[in-house]
Structures are given as structure tokens and as C-alpha cells.
Amino acid sequence: MLSKKTKYGLKALTYLAAQKGNKPVQISEIARHENISQKFLESILLSLRKTGVLGSKKGKGGGYYLIRDPEEVLMTDVMRILEGPIAMVPCVSLNFYEKCDDCPDEVGCSVHRLMLKVRDSALDVYRNTTLADLIP
Amino acid sequence: MLSKKTKYGLKALTYLAAQKGNKPVQISEIARHENISQKFLESILLSLRKTGVLGSKKGKGGGYYLIRDPEEVLMTDVMRILEGPIAMVPCVSLNFYEKCDDCPDEVGCSVHRLMLKVRDSALDVYRNTTLADLIP
DNA sequence: AATTACTCTATCTGTTTAATAGAGTAAACA
DNA sequence: TGTTTACTCTATTAAACAGATAGAGTAATT
């Protein structure tokens, strides 16, 4: 299940991408437009800023803005920041790999092989979708 | 993230599919072989029986067995039983559809459109994989 | 200097997951 | 027919996580 964090984050990013120009947009404006709890959105935008997707400007006329053009923001990056691993199981994760403690043989594991296929299909989607594709 | 329920369920199904013949296999045997808590596995196999994937036989020499040939057990069915919806968001789910209460316009929703693509790619995998493909 | 808005930490509640315990029931076999 | 074996079901629990909220603090603009 997609977390609300990711859902809200994607909506906020799309909202920013749809702006004319690249002026900072206030959190409150995004929250209002997208029906998101402002405080929750704060923490989401903060994590997007810390990972280099967004920039922020303080003071009057401040807010958040995209660092790069929407065409250059890949869904692989966004999803990993917001949702975490793209793989459904750590043992098939590219960026968050972890060995299963319960299964001795990774190659012979049926779950491993199935989830590898699922991961590849999801990666294929995320690698070929940018923030620009999400703008309505 | 894949739940342990699904993980264990898939392992148990694969174990049963790999059996010669189709004699009932005891829960305890499966649990031992696959490092699964026996009690937890009980409830998983039970749900697979109630949904027509497995059959069971009581008494001495009893246990669980596959109802159909492994080639005829689709991952779409197994995943829906064990993990629930294949879609990451209810508003793009085929079998578990639910409208989002927070977003007014489904067609204009960026999350909706992205998750539709992800669902389709996952479905493509599950529809073309049977239990037989999981046997090592 | 005052305002505005971002930054950060801490806390809280509800839900879900995973696991466990234990009593009950049904079928097989001697 | 009775005993064994193994499945069936309900209830309970602990841990983890998601989602949301509160409030004090800091930085930049006018």
C-alpha cells in the first residue's frame, strides 16, 4: 500500500511542477489546494529538500520550489525518497539490499525470483516516468 | 513491503508444488523445512484452503495438498488472497476499488495515473506467472 | 525591529503485523 | 469404539509503523 506520505509528496511535487515560472510556493497554499494536513506536508517537503529535489526560501515571499526542471526529476528518485525501497522484499532491492535471515538459499528461493520480476517491472515504469509526465 | 504472511504462503505453496504425487503434507513438515512459525503457518494455509487453492485432510496421514496443478495456479489469485490488492492505491484497484476521499478528480490526479501504470506492470507479471514457475 | 515562514524535536493515538496460547472438532486406524 | 493425530477456530499479545499534532526556535525579508 502506498503511504500517505508518498501520495501527498507526489501531489505536492506535481503542484509545484505545474506552476508558471519557478517562484517559491508556500506550504499553506499547497496544503489547501491538495487537501493535506499542513504540518504533515511540512515534514514531507523537508525531506524532499534535504535530498536535493526541492529548494526553499525563508521569509516573506518564501516557500518551496523545484531545483530542477520537471523533465529531469525521475520517479525512481522520488519514490525512493518518499516510499523507500521499490522492491517488495529487501533481498531483491538495489538500493536497500538486505539478506533474509530466514532463508538460506537466495537463488533457490521462489519468493526471491518472483519479487525480482515484480521489481524489474516497477523499475521500468519509474525509470521512464518523470515529474513532467504527471502534470495534468 | 511484502508481508510475512505472503512470503510464508508462497514458500509453502512452492513446497507443496514440488512434492511428487499429491499426498497431503503436514503443517509441521512445511514449517520445519521453510523456517516458519507453525501456528502462523496454520492460519495462512487455512485461508488458502477457504479460497479453494488448497485442500486438507484430517486425521492420521492428513495434511494440506494442492487442489489444482501448479500450472493452473495463477499468481494474481495467490497474491490477492495473501497480500490483498495488487494496486498500491485503492482508486486504481480492479478487485478492491475504493474512491479516495481526499481527491475530487480521479482523472486529473497525478498519483492515480502513475499508480495505474505500476499496477498494470505488476499485473502483467502476476498474470504470466504460475505456481509451476516458482518451483526451483 | 517586526513579520513571515521555514526548521526541528517530541509526543501521541490508532492500526496493522506477527506471533502465541489454548480449547475444540473431525477423521483415520487398530 | 476409542484413541490418536492433525486440522480448526477464537482470543490475546507485543512490537512496529503510519499519520497526525504541538510547540518552540531560527532565518530571511521588508
Side-chain angles (χ1 to χ4, degrees):
Chain A
M1 181 70 100
L2 197 75
S3 68
K4 296 221 169 177
K5 179 180 178 183
T6 304
K7 188 179 179 183
Y8 294 164
L10 285 171
K11 285 192 171 196
L13 285 173
T14 308
Y15 186 84
L16 288 174
Q19 297 292 312
K20 301 192 202 310
N22 205 13
K23 293 208 199 80
V25 179
Q26 295 170 31
I27 294 179
S28 59
E29 179 184 335
I30 304 174
R32 206 177 331 112
H33 265 271
E34 302 293 342
N35 289 312
I36 304 173
S37 142
Q38 173 161 346
K39 275 293 189 178
F40 192 19
L41 183 58
E42 267 183 42
S43 70
I44 296 167
L45 296 184
L46 198 59
S47 74
L48 286 168
R49 194 196 62 95
K50 284 181 175 169
T51 49
V53 177
L54 295 181
S56 68
K57 198 182 166 203
K58 295 184 178 179
K60 196 165 188 175
Y64 281 98
Y65 55 90
L66 287 171
I67 293 276
R68 283 166 282 149
D69 284 340
E71 297 81 33
E72 289 167 356
V73 181
L74 277 175
M75 280 305 114
T76 36
D77 299 323
V78 173
M79 289 301 291
R80 285 190 179 117
I81 293 168
L82 295 172
E83 188 73 6
I86 287 168
M88 294 182 79
V89 153
C91 71
V92 299
S93 176
L94 294 175
N95 290 251
F96 301 83
Y97 176 84
E98 231 174 278
K99 193 183 171 308
C100 294
D101 41 342
D102 57 320
C103 92
D105 173 24
E106 212 159 81
V107 183
C109 174
S110 56
V111 178
H112 183 83
R113 271 176 290 117
L114 177 63
M115 288 303 125
L116 212 52
K117 290 206 277 180
V118 175
R119 183 209 65 186
D120 284 340
S121 79
L123 268 182
D124 188 57
V125 171
Y126 293 136
R127 279 182 174 146
N128 291 294
T129 308
T130 73
L131 189 49
D133 298 316
L134 299 192
I135 305 174
Chain B
M1 183 68 102
L2 197 75
S3 67
K4 295 222 168 175
K5 178 180 177 183
T6 304
K7 188 180 180 183
Y8 294 164
L10 285 170
K11 285 192 171 195
L13 285 172
T14 307
Y15 186 84
L16 288 174
Q19 296 293 311
K20 302 193 201 308
N22 205 12
K23 293 208 198 77
V25 180
Q26 295 169 31
I27 294 179
S28 60
E29 179 183 335
I30 305 174
R32 206 177 331 111
H33 264 270
E34 302 293 341
N35 289 312
I36 305 172
S37 142
Q38 174 161 344
K39 275 292 187 179
F40 193 21
L41 183 58
E42 266 183 43
S43 69
I44 296 168
L45 297 183
L46 198 59
S47 73
L48 286 167
R49 195 197 61 97
K50 284 182 176 171
T51 48
V53 177
L54 295 181
S56 68
K57 197 181 167 204
K58 295 185 177 180
K60 195 163 189 174
Y64 280 98
Y65 55 90
L66 286 170
I67 293 278
R68 282 166 283 150
D69 284 341
E71 297 83 28
E72 291 166 355
V73 181
L74 277 174
M75 280 307 113
T76 37
D77 298 324
V78 173
M79 288 300 292
R80 285 191 179 116
I81 293 168
L82 294 172
E83 188 73 5
I86 288 168
M88 293 182 79
V89 153
C91 72
V92 300
S93 176
L94 293 175
N95 290 250
F96 301 82
Y97 176 83
E98 232 174 277
K99 192 183 171 307
C100 296
D101 41 342
D102 56 320
C103 93
D105 173 23
E106 210 159 82
V107 183
C109 175
S110 56
V111 178
H112 182 84
R113 269 175 292 120
L114 178 63
M115 288 302 125
L116 212 53
K117 290 206 277 183
V118 176
R119 182 209 65 187
D120 284 340
S121 78
L123 268 182
D124 189 56
V125 172
Y126 293 137
R127 279 183 175 146
N128 292 294
T129 309
T130 72
L131 188 50
D133 299 315
L134 299 191
I135 305 173

